[in-house]
Amino acid sequence: QQPNVAPIITNQPTAAPIQGATVPPRDVLVDLLSRSVPDGGATLSDVNSPQFAAMQWIRTANNQGIFSDARFLERYALATLYFGSKGEEWITSRLWLSAASECSWFGVIECDEEGRITHLDLRENLVGG
């Protein structure tokens, strides 16, 4: 007797294809950040710290498709600035913590040819901390 080689058709949906890259797993980010910050990553475990909030944000869909450590670190640093200086109370926080390039976030005056911020000005934005 021949085995049945006909395709099996079901009504079950399949997962949507993944478009682009995903955010690295938490342990990879913790390792990267721990190697890159002065306290060795101690504040990443403090749920009340801006560093913890920034790490949680960097793991969201807004950061998918970022392939360089330098860009992750820049976005993490900006998110830490945002959370540590009460960004939710700023006069304007247009595009901050969005998927848009950080070069288009409010207060970013200049980026270099590689897309790294070279001039940030938030003086008139009620930045606290």
Side-chain angles (χ1 to χ4, degrees), residues 73-87:
L73 291 172
E74 181 168 71
R75 289 175 74 85
Y76 168 79
L78 290 167
T80 301
L81 170 67
Y82 178 87
F83 290 117
S85 62
K86 303 176 184 176

Side-chain angles (χ1 to χ4, degrees), residues 1 6 16 23 27 29 32 41 45 72 75 90 92-94 120 129:
Q1 181 170 350
V23 175
D27 57 336
L29 287 173
L32 171 64
S45 300
F72 262 112
R75 289 175 74 85
W90 292 355
T92 304
S93 59
R94 183 181 49 80
L120 179 67

